[in-house]
């Protein structure tokens, strides 16, 4: 069995000291275990470095670092709702438009690439990208403070991307690249506010398909954000990053092969992230 130090040398990059990632934030922060009052909440500043007893398990979540993460999760959910409502408004505009605007547009890469009928491949590759990123940072991060920090940064960035995507969906209505003369779900057209909220969960779960959820590609944005987080924060050697980049590249290509998005949707998503 390999010694822990040899395992670290095998997997971790050699330049951690140069980039300031040798020690974890919890080791550097001397006051991390002390309770501090922020607003009206008095908790320890950061989670414990290591789990040595049952109380440490509780302290992983009862600290200001984790509360900041919860705030960013709420921000991400709010931005997701904003984006989805804007997508519904886009579908309503699309439905009210002339019939001539309901046919898929010509696309250079769609014409050049072969057609793959199974669009679920895109979701599988997206899920693989997310799971690989989460598992990778869960394993390589030196402590819970680092994990929470990376999650907060990702949620903050993705929230703004969601809102920006909602704006682009609303101002530029593109017909579906998958379905000719696509008709939006009836809930989007005549549903109540409560029904629309319920429909949002169906869209997020992938069980509902809208017509104008195109510009720009949310799948590409998610995969590119995982690559960006990995590129900036990963402490592992390069081959581990190459695996993620390869899966994300395959996912982006499958988006085009399946006609899941137009080429402009993918290009804008890459440039935006």
């Amino acid at each position: 069995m390999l010694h822990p130090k040899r395992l670290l040398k095998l997997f971790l990059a050699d330049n951690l000291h140069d980039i300031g990632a040798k020690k974890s934030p919890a080791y550097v922060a001397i006051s991390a275990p002390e309770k501090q009052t922020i607003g009206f909440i008095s908790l320890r500043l950061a989670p414990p470095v290591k789990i040595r007893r049952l109380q440490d398990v509780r302290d992983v979540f009862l600290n200001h670092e984790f509360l900041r993460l919860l705030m960013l999760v709420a921000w991400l959910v709010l931005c997701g709702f904003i984006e989805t409502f804007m997508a519904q408004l886009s579908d309503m505009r699309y439905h009210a438009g002339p019939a001539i605007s309901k046919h898929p547009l010509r696309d250079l890469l769609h014409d050049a690439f072969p057609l793959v009928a199974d669009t679920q491949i895109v979701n599988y590759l997206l899920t693989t990208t997310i799971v690989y990123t989460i598992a990778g940072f869960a394993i390589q991060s030196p402590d819970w403070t680092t994990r929470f920090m990376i999650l907060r940064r990702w949620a903050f960035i993705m929230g703004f991307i969601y809102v920006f995507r909602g704006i682009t969906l609303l101002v530029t209505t593109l017909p579906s690249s998958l379905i000719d003369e696509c008709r939006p779900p009836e809930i989007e057209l005549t549903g109540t506010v409560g029904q629309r909220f319920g429909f949002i969960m169906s869209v997020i779960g992938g069980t509902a398909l809208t017509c104008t959820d195109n510009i720009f590609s949310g799948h590409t944005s998610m995969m590119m954000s995982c690559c960006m987080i990995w590129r900036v924060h990963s402490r592992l050697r390069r081959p581990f990053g190459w695996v993620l980049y390869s899966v994300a590249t395959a996912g982006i290509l499958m988006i085009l092969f399946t006609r899941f998005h137009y080429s402009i949707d993918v290009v804008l998503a890459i440039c935006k992230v």
Side-chain angles (χ1 to χ4, degrees), residues 66-121:
F66 185 73
L67 289 184
R68 293 188 186 102
L69 176 60
L70 291 181
M71 292 172 60
L72 266 298
V73 170
W75 155 258
L76 184 63
V77 171
L78 174 63
C79 293
F81 276 117
I82 293 174
E83 181 216 25
T84 309
F85 269 117
M86 288 184 174
Q88 291 182 5
L89 291 175
S90 177
D91 270 5
M92 294 170 66
R93 292 182 65 247
Y94 163 82
H95 180 69
I100 194 173
S101 64
K102 294 179 172 57
H103 302 292
L105 303 177
R106 292 292 302 274
D107 189 284
L108 180 64
L109 293 184
H110 286 184
D111 295 339
F113 290 158
L115 173 63
V116 177
D118 188 5
T119 58
Q120 283 301 319
I121 298 176

Side-chain angles (χ1 to χ4, degrees), residues 6 42 118 120 128 155 185 190 200 230 265 268:
R6 292 185 178 180
S42 179
D118 188 5
Q120 283 301 319
T128 302
T190 60
I200 287 175
W230 192 279
D265 305 340
L268 286 178

Side-chain angles (χ1 to χ4, degrees), residues 50 71 174 185 236 264 268 272:
K50 294 182 179 180
M71 292 172 60
L174 294 182
L236 297 178
I264 186 63
L268 286 178
K272 177 60 182 174

Side-chain angles (χ1 to χ4, degrees), residues 16-156:
L16 295 182
H17 186 273
D18 298 334
I19 62 177
K22 187 68 174 178
K23 289 187 177 181
S24 66
Y27 275 110
V28 179
I30 301 176
S31 60
E34 299 177 0
K35 282 193 174 183
Q36 295 192 20
T37 301
I38 300 179
F40 59 90
I41 301 175
S42 179
L43 291 172
R44 59 181 289 152
L45 189 62
V49 178
K50 294 182 179 180
I51 306 297
R52 296 188 177 92
R53 50 184 179 169
L54 188 60
Q55 183 179 351
D56 291 337
V57 177
R58 184 199 65 180
D59 289 340
V60 167
F61 305 102
L62 293 180
N63 57 80
H64 289 292
E65 287 285 346
F66 185 73
L67 289 184
R68 293 188 186 102
L69 176 60
L70 291 181
M71 292 172 60
L72 266 298
V73 170
W75 155 258
L76 184 63
V77 171
L78 174 63
C79 293
F81 276 117
I82 293 174
E83 181 216 25
T84 309
F85 269 117
M86 288 184 174
Q88 291 182 5
L89 291 175
S90 177
D91 270 5
M92 294 170 66
R93 292 182 65 247
Y94 163 82
H95 180 69
I100 194 173
S101 64
K102 294 179 172 57
H103 302 292
L105 303 177
R106 292 292 302 274
D107 189 284
L108 180 64
L109 293 184
H110 286 184
D111 295 339
F113 290 158
L115 173 63
V116 177
D118 188 5
T119 58
Q120 283 301 319
I121 298 176
V122 177
N123 293 325
Y124 295 150
L125 291 171
L126 173 62
T127 303
T128 302
T129 303
I130 296 173
V131 171
Y132 185 87
T133 303
I134 293 175
F137 280 106
I139 295 171
Q140 67 174 292
S141 297
D143 58 14
W144 285 98
T145 300
T146 305
R147 296 184 183 104
F148 293 161
M149 177 188 66
I150 293 173
L151 283 173
R152 287 201 308 268
R153 292 180 178 180
W154 177 83
F156 184 76

